[in-house]
Amino acid sequence: MSLPPLTPLAAAALHVGTPERILQIECGEGEGALFLAREFPVARVRGVDCSERAIRAATTRVGLDPEGRIAFKVGKPRALPFPDDLFDLVALLDARPSAAETARVLRPGGFLVLAHSQRSSAPQGLAGRLLRWRLSRRRIDPVWEAEAGDGSFSVGRLRKAGPSGSSE
């Protein structure tokens, strides 16, 4: 299996502060989640993928982790096996998010990273506008977009609720 280049994910990580809890959706064999664990050494990192085989492979790559900082679970992007408002950062590498599920597990003020290892894999034209619209409806606003290496990344942030529960 060929692993995706991590340059877009690494470039996006520069724009997300210091998250305490990170989720990578569609993590495959864990390359991106393990990178995020190295990049943010105090964060708890979780990876989720619908492939049991990929999750087994990712779990074997963790090595010694006595604090349980890194873990992988079988799960689907449209039905994430985590409670509401749990993560400060949700990352996807060469995958499309379910706007509703992503917003559900993201804490207010938390970041969403969409990294694409090839420029051609990034949502373009109508598909890109539709995804931005769906994320915006879930209160995830664009923060930063750029090319990085042979790919690109986008960073969004979930709006915090205002004093009356309305969005700021």
Side-chain angles (χ1 to χ4, degrees), residues 9-94:
L9 184 60
L14 299 173
H15 300 278
V16 298
T18 308
E20 294 176 11
R21 293 177 187 242
I22 301 171
L23 172 64
Q24 185 189 6
I25 299 173
E26 295 190 32
C27 67
E29 295 184 3
E31 187 71 21
L34 293 169
F35 166 79
L36 291 167
R38 289 187 302 270
E39 187 69 20
F40 301 105
V42 298
R44 294 198 173 276
V45 179
R46 301 296 179 252
V48 65
D49 199 282
C50 58
S51 166
E52 290 182 30
R53 184 201 57 75
I55 292 301
R56 279 194 305 275
T59 301
T60 62
R61 297 181 71 200
V62 171
L64 184 62
D65 183 22
E67 296 174 8
R69 226 175 47 81
I70 306 165
F72 297 95
K73 271 187 179 183
V74 174
K76 297 181 180 179
R78 294 185 180 274
L80 296 169
F82 300 101
D84 297 355
D85 303 329
L86 183 61
F87 296 100
D88 304 303
L89 170 62
V90 174
L92 291 94
L93 178 59
D94 292 332

Side-chain angles (χ1 to χ4, degrees), residues 99-117:
E101 267 303 272
T102 300
R104 182 185 68 77
V105 299
L106 198 56
R107 287 181 181 168
F111 291 92
L112 168 64
V113 165
L114 302 175
H116 305 281
S117 62

